[in-house]
Amino acid sequence: MKGGNILKVDRQIKAENRRFRLLALLSALILIIFLMTVSPLVAADYLLSGESSTIMRMRSSTDNRDLYPVYEYLRLTTSSRLDDGSTISFQLGAWGRLDLADKSTDKYSDNDLQYGFLSYRDIKSNFMVNLGRQFVSEGVAAEKIDGLYVRGDLAKGFSAAAFLGEPVLTESTFNGAHLVYGARVSHKMQKYYDIGFSALKNEASGSSRYREEQGVDIWLRPTQQLDLVSRSSYNSLTKGWMEHASILTYSPLDKLKASANINVINYRDYFHNVTTRSLSLTNGIINPDETLLSTGFALSYTILKDTNVTTDYKNYRYDIAGNADYLGFRIEASLPGKIPAGLAFHRMEGSSDRLRYNEYRLYVMKKIDKVNVAADLFNISYDKSINGVSNSFSLTGSAGYELSEKLKLGANLEYSRTPDFDRELRGFVKVIYAFDAKHSEGRSKNEK
């Protein structure tokens, strides 16, 4: 068997193994829901709630295919409060897709488990344990894993968190790491600061080093008017800083708020050994030698009770792609009759034709009894035509109707023109249904 065939078979085996683990995890989670709902055991009370969103999208592709995919998103939450005040909960999120016409991807149907985990929380000590598929955000870690997450408060303002599991890859054939683990330790003084130190490590097959990152994050509020949020992350494998990002906000008056931000990214360090194919340095899209320095500010002032004016500026400096300046303003107001509306204008001045344009936006919304309607116009006027298009725009109209507190209908229609798509009409309709069932001290209540 040739090397290419061996690699293909190996990827197929990995994909089948992942599908098997997903099926096993989903089966276990469904069993947990059943046990927690039907037999609350020692729970003082419990709650089961969920939401079903059915969405049908409609559009035509650039190669004249008719795309009518139907998506189903399901979210379930069940929780039980024990006699000691602690809680056990389970959360599940999954989606499925079925194409009613031409294929929107390489296959007519698809599905995935977004999250599904069992959680225990002791309210008194703020101790929490999650087990299953979940999203972990702790310092340098922003990972979707199948595994274990633990956090809790320690003595004298200290707290700690740790996680261990397998990364959830966006593509089953993507050759990413097979084990990820990390931790964050922090110290805080309520209302004044929170400083955390974190680390993450990915291991591939054979315990090889795939990713090693460390970071520090800071939230600081020396006064009621001043607020600083900052983070820095370091890549131990490339021996370089991945990112520095800070936002400083100053509110001298209730009606006035000013902010300044800075962000530095080194692509070779930041995108080294990611778990998403589209962000991989090997795809030829992202230049590993690129660096970005962006700085900016925003000033917002409430002129009247329901009218706010904001001016903002952003400067982008790329070593390779060049520089660009983005400057403008936006006005947000509530018109007579409680009609939210907004108007915005920005100027982009960059080093290429695609980055030299005027940007306009106008939107308005209105609620009439149980009906919500909205219109949004977004227009870009280029200094020079791009592929024969000097004005790129999208006009969107949407409407929603609340049949009841549990059942809502919605529709969206968008007409657009861009340099990459001459004219496009797309839309979607959605049905959202929410439900819950409650049990308390031997009594139950179902709401449908």
Side-chain angles (χ1 to χ4, degrees):
M1 184 178 290
K2 295 182 179 181
N5 292 332
I6 295 176
L7 180 60
K8 183 177 180 180
V9 172
D10 180 61
R11 288 178 174 175
Q12 289 176 346
I13 293 174
K14 289 180 180 178
E16 290 298 329
N17 288 338
R18 289 193 177 97
R19 281 193 287 268
F20 176 78
R21 287 195 298 270
L22 177 60
L23 180 60
L25 177 61
L26 183 59
S27 300
L29 296 179
I30 292 175
L31 177 61
I32 291 171
I33 289 181
F34 175 78
L35 292 176
M36 294 183 67
T37 304
V38 177
S39 179
L41 302 177
V42 296
D45 55 59
Y46 70 92
L47 168 68
L48 171 65
S49 62
E51 183 178 275
S52 168
S53 299
T54 304
I55 300 174
M56 179 180 177
R57 299 184 181 275
M58 298 158 284
R59 71 181 181 92
S60 295
S61 64
T62 54
D63 53 359
N64 295 321
R65 290 182 297 126
D66 294 323
L67 306 179
Y68 303 112
V70 176
Y71 293 86
E72 171 63 27
Y73 294 89
L74 178 64
R75 291 178 289 275
L76 289 173
T77 300
T78 180
S79 62
S80 298
R81 182 176 61 85
L82 305 182
D83 291 331
D84 62 358
S86 59
T87 59
I88 297 177
S89 64
F90 171 77
Q91 299 184 44
L92 171 70
W95 66 270
R97 189 202 81 235
L98 177 64
D99 290 323
L100 301 182
D102 296 324
K103 289 190 294 186
S104 57
T105 63
D106 59 344
K107 47 189 177 182
Y108 279 102
S109 63
D110 200 1
N111 60 82
D112 190 26
L113 177 66
Q114 296 172 296
Y115 59 88
F117 60 92
L118 181 66
S119 179
Y120 170 80
R121 182 168 184 176
D122 188 339
I123 299 179
K124 297 178 181 178
S125 62
N126 202 26
F127 174 76
M128 182 172 65
V129 180
N130 292 344
L131 177 63
R133 175 163 296 187
Q134 59 194 290
F135 184 79
V136 175
S137 179
E138 289 289 350
V140 293
E143 307 291 316
K144 190 176 182 180
I145 68 169
D146 290 331
L148 177 69
Y149 168 74
V150 182
R151 76 165 307 278
D153 292 339
L154 306 176
K156 297 182 179 180
F158 285 95
S159 63
F163 62 93
L164 169 69
E166 181 179 13
V168 178
L169 304 179
T170 56
E171 299 176 65
S172 60
T173 58
F174 186 71
N175 187 24
H178 302 302
L179 179 66
V180 59
Y181 52 92
R184 177 178 180 266
V185 178
S186 63
H187 186 271
K188 68 179 179 180
M189 181 179 291
Q190 201 72 21
K191 298 181 181 180
Y192 292 103
Y193 70 83
D194 188 338
I195 301 177
F197 299 90
S198 57
L200 172 149
K201 185 171 183 178
N202 270 183
E203 293 181 2
S205 57
S207 300
S208 61
R209 300 165 67 190
Y210 188 79
R211 289 169 61 204
E212 290 184 7
E213 302 170 6
Q214 300 82 38
V216 56
D217 55 274
I218 300 172
W219 172 75
L220 182 64
R221 178 175 286 176
T223 69
Q224 191 65 30
Q225 294 78 28
L226 193 63
D227 187 281
L228 173 67
V229 178
S230 180
R231 69 177 184 274
S232 294
S233 54
Y234 182 79
N235 193 322
S236 294
L237 297 183
T238 60
K239 301 187 184 303
W241 287 99
M242 301 165 57
E243 179 187 27
H244 299 287
S246 297
I247 300 177
L248 180 65
T249 303
Y250 179 54
S251 304
L253 303 172
D254 291 339
K255 296 183 178 181
L256 179 65
K257 182 172 72 173
S259 64
N261 63 81
I262 182 171
N263 193 16
V264 181
I265 298 178
N266 298 302
Y267 281 35
R268 186 179 300 276
D269 307 306
Y270 191 88
F271 295 107
H272 177 76
N273 285 351
V274 295
T275 56
T276 303
R277 186 188 300 275
S278 60
L279 299 179
S280 174
L281 293 176
T282 61
N283 62 13
I285 300 176
I286 298 177
N287 191 329
D289 296 322
E290 183 69 278
T291 62
L292 167 65
L293 168 63
S294 66
T295 56
F297 73 85
L299 186 65
S300 179
Y301 184 73
T302 303
I303 300 177
L304 302 172
K305 181 180 179 181
D306 297 320
T307 304
N308 184 271
V309 177
T310 300
T311 180
D312 58 296
Y313 168 76
K314 197 96 171 183
N315 174 259
Y316 301 90
R317 292 187 176 274
Y318 292 92
D319 281 356
I320 299 174
N323 305 329
D325 294 285
Y326 185 74
L327 173 67
F329 70 89
R330 67 178 182 271
I331 301 174
E332 298 170 303
S334 180
L335 302 179
K338 295 183 179 180
I339 303 176
L343 170 68
F345 169 80
H346 286 85
R347 169 66 186 177
M348 175 67 84
E349 187 67 37
S351 54
S352 65
D353 289 343
R354 280 185 177 267
L355 294 178
R356 285 193 286 268
Y357 56 80
N358 293 326
E359 177 187 288
Y360 309 87
R361 186 189 178 194
L362 175 65
Y363 70 88
V364 61
M365 296 178 286
K366 174 63 176 176
K367 183 174 183 179
I368 307 172
D369 195 17
K370 295 184 177 182
V371 178
N372 285 287
V373 293
D376 194 336
L377 174 63
F378 185 81
N379 182 82
I380 291 180
S381 178
Y382 293 100
D383 291 2
K384 294 183 178 180
S385 297
I386 308 296
N387 295 333
V389 175
S390 58
N391 278 287
S392 173
F393 70 89
S394 68
L395 177 61
T396 304
S398 60
Y401 182 70
E402 186 177 304
L403 289 171
S404 67
E405 293 183 357
K406 304 294 183 179
L407 183 59
K408 299 177 183 178
L409 306 177
N412 181 290
L413 188 64
E414 178 186 359
Y415 179 70
S416 63
R417 185 188 186 193
T418 68
D420 303 311
F421 205 118
D422 185 22
R423 281 179 172 80
E424 182 180 19
L425 181 65
R426 63 170 66 189
F428 72 82
V429 293
K430 62 181 178 180
V431 179
I432 301 176
Y433 175 68
F435 56 90
D436 62 69
K438 301 178 181 179
H439 170 92
S440 179
E441 298 295 338
R443 299 183 301 273
S444 64
K445 179 181 179 181
N446 295 301
E447 298 181 4
K448 299 180 179 181

